[in-house]
Amino acid sequence: MKNDVISEVTMYTTKFGPFNGDSWEELIQICLRLKYESEQYQSIPASPGDFGIEGFTRTGKVFQCYCPDNNMTSAALYEKQRDKITKDVNKLSLYQDRLLQIFDGTKIKEWIFVTPEYRMKELVIHCNNKVEELRQLNLPFIDDDFRVIIHDIGNFTKEIPIALNGGSQKLMINPKISSTGTMTSWKEQENELVGNAIRKHIKRFPADMNGVTKKVNDLTENTIKSYFDRESILSRWQRLHPQDYDKYLILISQVEETVKEQCMFPSDNNNELYKSLRTLVDKKLRENFTYLDDTTITNLTNGVIADWLLRCPLDFE
């Protein structure tokens, strides 16, 4: 049986975490207030009656939010977004008398559809077609240069972390899944780094312990995966929030110096030292980046430790 839905999740997964219609609208309302404060952004409550807009600015921008219930194929997403645009743009005509009162002399230049993502150029063409249809109606509040355009999550990369940090939801940056082939090829090219990790993991176990080889191999595989996960997260974080990315690099560099010094001295229990250093990294990340969710912090922490194991900052005398 054909199924347009890729996942059984009940929310739409984005690079900033999962959303449904309500949580997406709540987030975007905060973002719009931040982004368009200088343009006197005004939100419009949905009750009583839904006029097809979430808010507008006095400079002539109107916004309508839409988030699908779950992730789906590009074709299915296009159909849902197309139908939503059609329905809500038509409300400009249907409720023109009330909207004329709400806009109070503001000429609308842009009707902006705010959605997590769109994947088909046909949606842009559909927006252009709606412009021509609406112009023919000669609505009193529509500007001569009126346009219907789309904004996705990328239009709010500066505002979303701030909005998430100020609310109950935190920022989730999921790593891109690395293929087995990619990691295998990397291990073959970086066998010296892999050897470092193996040597250090061996030192975490008592000398007389049985079955260490398999445990070390498993730990080394986890180390390599954590290293790749961190690189993926950092790449996305740099694009989303470059100032905090730079702050992260400085912070970890400072912590690394502390780790190097601690590792100069013999330890009675190398695994306890390992755990204490991991706790230190986790604590520093949580203190400095409060808007990141637990999963992202854990992945970053694991990645920092992995990087140190593969290189030389974290070692055992």
Side-chain angles (χ1 to χ4, degrees):
M1 182 174 68
K2 182 179 179 181
N3 186 359
D4 283 329
V5 177
I6 295 174
S7 172
E8 296 298 327
V9 296
T10 58
M11 303 183 81
Y12 195 88
T13 302
T14 75
K15 60 187 177 184
F16 284 104
F19 294 94
N20 58 23
D22 291 338
S23 60
W24 176 250
E25 180 182 344
E26 181 181 356
L27 174 75
I28 294 302
Q29 282 287 8
I30 298 173
C31 291
L32 293 174
R33 291 186 181 97
L34 291 169
K35 192 177 185 74
Y36 298 105
E37 180 183 8
S38 64
E39 299 181 41
Q40 301 178 55
Y41 175 74
Q42 174 65 60
S43 62
I44 303 298
S47 177
D50 177 8
F51 300 139
I53 63 172
E54 314 292 0
F56 72 103
T57 70
R58 290 299 174 184
T59 58
K61 298 182 177 75
V62 163
F63 302 90
Q64 175 65 328
C65 297
Y66 173 69
C67 180
D69 294 330
N70 44 41
N71 295 82
M72 59 192 69
T73 64
S74 296
L77 179 63
Y78 163 72
E79 290 178 2
K80 286 184 175 294
Q81 291 173 325
R82 177 200 62 198
D83 293 347
K84 178 65 174 174
I85 290 172
T86 298
K87 178 181 177 182
D88 286 338
V89 169
N90 289 345
K91 289 180 181 180
L92 292 175
S93 173
L94 184 62
Y95 298 111
Q96 61 176 295
D97 293 339
R98 293 299 304 277
L99 289 171
L100 191 61
Q101 294 175 323
I102 290 171
F103 295 146
D104 191 28
T106 298
K107 286 281 190 177
I108 302 307
K109 299 178 181 179
E110 296 177 348
W111 187 94
I112 302 173
F113 185 65
V114 186
T115 190
E117 66 171 339
Y118 64 100
R119 308 188 200 123
M120 298 184 70
K121 61 182 179 295
E122 283 76 11
L123 195 65
V124 176
I125 296 172
H126 179 68
C127 289
N128 294 338
N129 292 337
K130 296 307 296 182
V131 170
E132 294 304 317
E133 292 175 15
L134 205 64
R135 282 177 177 168
Q136 294 177 14
L137 299 178
N138 295 315
L139 299 178
F141 47 76
I142 295 297
D143 190 83
D144 291 341
D145 296 324
F146 175 77
R147 298 186 301 158
V148 175
I149 61 178
I150 309 164
H151 281 182
D152 61 17
I153 208 165
N155 290 92
F156 301 96
T157 54
K158 180 179 178 181
E159 292 79 19
I160 286 178
I162 300 172
L164 291 174
N165 194 30
S168 58
Q169 187 171 355
K170 294 193 173 186
L171 174 62
M172 177 193 300
I173 310 177
N174 288 321
K176 181 180 178 181
I177 299 175
S178 300
S179 68
T180 303
T182 299
M183 288 192 285
T184 299
S185 176
W186 182 88
K187 285 189 289 186
E188 291 173 352
Q189 295 176 18
E190 303 292 347
N191 53 12
E192 182 178 347
L193 297 183
V194 176
N196 287 340
I198 292 173
R199 174 177 56 80
K200 295 172 186 179
H201 282 309
I202 290 174
K203 290 184 178 181
R204 294 173 59 188
F205 293 93
D208 56 351
M209 186 174 179
N210 295 323
V212 168
T213 300
K214 183 181 185 308
K215 292 185 172 93
V216 167
N217 289 337
D218 290 343
L219 288 170
T220 302
E221 289 297 319
N222 290 340
T223 295
I224 295 169
K225 181 181 182 303
S226 293
Y227 173 79
F228 272 83
D229 285 350
R230 187 191 73 145
E231 293 304 296
S232 174
I233 290 172
L234 290 181
S235 176
R236 300 178 76 173
W237 197 14
Q238 184 179 24
R239 294 195 303 271
L240 297 173
H241 215 38
Q243 289 183 334
D244 272 358
Y245 168 79
D246 291 339
K247 178 182 175 181
Y248 163 87
L249 294 181
I250 294 170
L251 173 69
I252 294 304
S253 177
Q254 292 172 342
V255 176
E256 184 174 309
E257 293 305 311
T258 300
V259 169
K260 286 179 180 177
E261 183 174 335
Q262 287 188 249
C263 289
M264 290 178 184
F265 299 92
S267 171
D268 293 334
N269 189 318
N270 289 333
N271 195 46
E272 289 301 317
L273 174 60
Y274 170 91
K275 290 192 290 185
S276 71
L277 296 177
R278 190 187 182 287
T279 299
L280 172 64
V281 174
D282 183 89
K283 181 173 180 290
K284 290 292 185 180
L285 291 176
R286 291 182 189 277
E287 288 175 349
N288 286 271
F289 308 105
T290 56
Y291 65 86
L292 295 178
D293 80 326
D294 286 343
T295 300
T296 304
I297 291 289
T298 298
N299 283 335
L300 284 173
T301 300
N302 291 342
V304 170
I305 297 298
D307 178 57
W308 289 345
L309 287 170
L310 292 165
R311 295 187 295 117
C312 294
L314 198 169
D315 209 340
F316 307 111
E317 290 295 327

